[in-house]
Amino acid sequence: MINNWRHIWFTFVFITMFDFATAQTEQEQFDQGVELLNDNQYKKAKNAFYKLSQNYPTNAQYHYYLGVSKLKLSDPSSALVDLNKSISLDPNAKEAYFNRYVANNATRNFQFALADISKYLEFYPNDTIFFVTLCLYQIQHFN
C-alpha cells in the first residue's frame, strides 16, 4: 500500500513539473497569436486570441486581435462583437475604430461605419488620405 501511494505521489509530482515546464506565459501566448496573424494563419490566430480573451476578458487588446482575426476570415459580423468589446474596454483603441469601420462597411452598416471613420480621424486629424476616404465615402453612400 505504501509503494502504491509513493508511485501515485511521484506520478503527481512528475505531471505537475511537466505542466509548469510546458505552460506558456500570457505574453508568449499573445506573441504567438500575433505571429500567426502576421503569417496569415488566421484560424489559428483566432483560436489563440479566443483563448486569451476568455482567460483575460477585460483585456481590450485580446478582443481587438480576435476581431481582426475574424475580419481576416471574412466574418465581419462576428468581428463586430469583439471590436465593440475592445472599444468598450478601451475607448482610445484607435485601430479598433478603423477595423470596426471595415466590419461595419462589410455588413452594410454605413451609418456606423461613418461614425467609426470619423472617430478614427479624431485620433489622426492630419491623416489626409483618410480624410479623402471619408469624403468619398460620404459621397458614395449618402448622396
Side-chain angles (χ1 to χ4, degrees):
M1 182 73 165
I2 292 176
N3 281 340
N4 230 1
W5 283 107
R6 189 176 292 169
H7 177 71
I8 292 170
W9 172 252
F10 283 121
T11 302
F12 172 76
V13 170
F14 176 76
I15 289 172
T16 304
M17 287 175 28
F18 182 73
D19 279 348
F20 285 123
T22 59
Q24 286 183 308
T25 66
E26 178 183 353
Q27 184 63 48
E28 289 171 334
Q29 292 173 38
F30 173 74
D31 292 342
Q32 182 182 25
V34 170
E35 188 175 316
L36 289 165
L37 194 59
N38 290 335
D39 289 342
N40 302 329
Q41 296 182 48
Y42 304 129
K43 190 170 184 176
K44 289 181 181 179
K46 181 186 89 168
N47 292 337
F49 291 119
Y50 176 79
K51 288 177 189 173
L52 282 166
S53 69
Q54 294 302 301
N55 291 333
Y56 307 96
T58 59
N59 188 308
Q61 194 173 33
Y62 300 158
H63 291 282
Y64 166 75
Y65 279 104
L66 178 57
V68 170
S69 299
K70 290 177 178 180
L71 264 180
K72 295 290 188 176
L73 289 167
S74 300
D75 188 3
S77 296
S78 183
L80 280 169
V81 173
D82 301 297
L83 294 168
N84 287 336
K85 181 70 174 179
S86 176
I87 291 169
S88 73
L89 293 168
D90 180 7
N92 294 316
K94 302 169 194 154
E95 301 305 321
Y97 287 100
F98 173 77
N99 282 287
R100 192 170 73 175
Y101 150 74
V102 172
N104 274 316
N105 194 43
T107 57
R108 306 187 60 74
N109 294 321
F110 300 125
Q111 287 294 132
F112 292 117
L114 181 61
D116 287 332
I117 202 170
S118 298
K119 184 66 175 179
Y120 180 81
L121 276 171
E122 288 178 23
F123 293 112
Y124 300 104
N126 297 326
D127 190 339
T128 54
I129 293 172
F130 229 83
F131 183 73
V132 170
T133 302
L134 173 61
C135 292
L136 292 173
Y137 190 84
Q138 287 178 316
I139 290 168
Q140 179 181 11
H141 293 289
F142 298 103
N143 285 332

